[in-house]
Amino acid sequence: MTGSSSPWWAPHRHADRRPALFARNRIVAALRKHFADRDFVEVEAAALQVSPGNEAHLSAFATSAIAHDGAASPLYLHTSPEFACKKLLAAGETRLFSVARVFRNRERGPLHHPEFTMLEWYRAGEDYEVLMRDCADILALAADEAKVRSFCFRGRESDPFAAFERLTLAEAFERHAGIDLLATIEPGGGTDRDGLAAAVAACGLRVAEDDSWADLFSRVLVALIEPKLGDGRPTLLYEYPVSEAALARPSARDPRVAERFELYACGVELANAFGELTDPHEQRRRFEIEMAEKARIYGETYPIDEDFLAALAIMPEASGIALGLDRLVMLAVGAPRIDDVIWTPVAETPAGMGGGA
């Protein structure tokens, strides 16, 4: 479907892409019915937000709101509808989903697009393990609508109807890198950077003097673990270190890890889920740490959404998940690039051409 120098709207190229795009439409329609049948309400989150999110490595598109007197206030295109959806949980919604256009800068390649579609859903009063069962239903649904029995990407296959492999981060680090991850994490969530650095160096991976514990964790995850996930059947990678919890709450079973999982098929990350953190003070602390790291690496920060933290204080216990809809369709139809399943891809800019993975 790719490899052509013709624009996506060239009739012959559109004809080549059209079956995948129609499969996308069937999958989206089936997903809407799936959630409606389970008493979820569909919501629409405003794309313009005062904060695009506060993760160190997420880059946003910025703009300004101009008042009648000409005064400008910064706004951002959201990187996820998460903040808005959680405000709706605080408002009283109990089961909701969103099929949202979201925007991420610095991202373009076979698996990334600057504008893409995120499917998010939230369950108030329900454990995040329920989301794992939701994922199994959704992968099977996508395969049925695409009329396939296997997901494919770059010569790899994954059976969307098979029981998921379940693997903790500690098990994955031990199996694929020979690293005792939990030995480098303290009960209070502190981390042993030098201990992890020694283990990473023993694996043959590069270690720089200014690498943080999080840098080293990510390097092992990307280089040695993610490529092994979702082969033959999907993989649920769960119990992330609490320092990598993002917006997830600590596990009651082990304070060193958090109620967070990611879903993989064919080595591709499809979804990221949380047992939601509802402590605004802890969430602020995490945001501030992430923004300090963003300033160190990129020389910029994003504002904290104070309205979100206020809503978090009254939000009920909940679980929530974000799934990359375009990636799901891409695997279901066996497309080699995410652009192949997007109806109108964003125009290529000279700086963004030839993006990576």
Side-chain angles (χ1 to χ4, degrees):
M1 277 184 273
T2 56
S4 170
S5 59
S6 302
W8 58 262
W9 48 263
H12 69 281
R13 190 169 177 197
H14 179 67
D16 192 34
R17 292 178 354 109
R18 198 166 183 261
L21 297 171
F22 272 61
R24 176 194 178 102
N25 282 9
R26 293 195 303 273
I27 290 169
V28 172
L31 285 168
R32 285 194 159 103
K33 183 178 186 303
H34 172 87
F35 283 107
D37 289 346
R38 287 155 180 79
D39 298 322
F40 281 76
V41 60
E42 182 171 5
V43 304
E44 294 182 345
L48 288 171
Q49 298 284 337
V50 298
S51 174
N54 297 105
E55 295 182 41
H57 299 290
L58 283 185
S59 295
F61 289 89
T63 187
S64 295
I66 310 299
H68 290 299
D69 62 1
S73 300
L75 287 175
Y76 301 85
L77 290 173
H78 64 179
T79 58
S80 160
E82 180 174 9
F83 289 4
C85 288
K86 289 181 178 177
K87 290 174 185 177
L88 287 169
L89 289 175
E93 296 297 337
T94 57
R95 286 188 176 186
L96 61 89
F97 77 100
S98 173
V99 181
R101 306 294 292 194
V102 298
F103 307 85
R104 297 188 180 182
N105 220 336
R106 297 177 183 260
E107 294 192 12
R108 186 146 203 167
L111 291 172
H112 297 89
H113 202 74
E115 178 180 353
F116 62 101
T117 302
M118 190 85 84
L119 169 65
E120 293 201 10
W121 68 98
Y122 294 83
R123 291 175 171 270
E126 297 186 77
D127 190 84
Y128 88 135
E129 296 238 353
V130 179
L131 301 177
M132 299 180 183
R133 297 195 288 274
D134 288 341
C135 286
D137 292 340
I138 284 171
L139 263 58
L141 176 153
D144 283 339
E145 294 301 326
K147 299 177 174 53
V148 298
R149 302 301 299 175
S150 180
F151 285 175
C152 302
F153 183 68
R154 293 182 176 176
R156 301 174 64 176
E157 294 192 4
S158 191
D159 181 352
F161 301 99
F164 291 176
E165 175 189 32
R166 291 178 55 134
L167 196 63
T168 68
L169 265 293
E171 291 167 341
F173 268 67
E174 179 64 39
R175 179 183 301 178
H176 298 302
I179 293 175
D180 184 350
L181 182 66
L182 294 181
T184 72
I185 306 172
E186 300 168 1
T191 53
D192 176 5
R193 182 267 176 200
D194 292 341
L196 184 57
V200 171
C203 291
L205 295 180
R206 175 182 61 85
V207 175
E209 288 187 10
D210 61 347
D211 278 336
S212 66
W213 187 95
D215 292 331
L216 297 166
F217 170 84
S218 295
R219 188 166 302 141
V220 175
L221 185 63
V222 171
L224 301 179
I225 296 173
E226 287 186 331
K228 309 285 180 58
L229 302 179
D231 258 341
R233 58 177 175 155
T235 298
L236 288 169
L237 189 65
Y238 69 108
E239 291 191 351
Y240 272 66
V242 73
S243 61
E244 303 297 310
L247 287 85
R249 61 182 171 234
S251 169
R253 188 189 66 79
D254 185 340
R256 295 174 296 177
V257 299
E259 291 188 1
R260 176 183 178 186
F261 75 78
E262 292 193 345
L263 171 65
Y264 290 82
C266 304
V268 175
E269 179 199 336
L270 286 175
N272 186 22
F274 303 145
E276 302 292 354
L277 179 68
T278 55
D279 179 345
H281 304 293
E282 171 61 15
Q283 191 62 77
R284 182 187 296 278
R285 186 189 72 83
R286 293 184 190 179
F287 282 166
E288 289 173 349
I289 290 172
E290 287 291 306
M291 289 300 92
E293 182 70 358
K294 188 172 188 64
R296 179 182 74 85
I297 298 171
Y298 302 106
E300 65 174 348
T301 62
Y302 297 139
I304 290 174
D305 184 346
E306 296 293 342
D307 204 37
F308 168 67
L309 293 179
L312 204 63
I314 65 167
M315 193 183 101
E317 295 293 314
S319 58
I321 183 167
L323 183 146
L325 181 63
D326 312 273
R327 288 187 181 184
L328 176 66
V329 176
M330 183 187 71
L331 297 186
V333 302
R337 293 182 60 90
I338 200 169
D339 305 55
D340 293 325
V341 298
I342 293 175
W343 275 92
T344 63
V346 173
E348 290 264 17
T349 59
M353 291 181 178

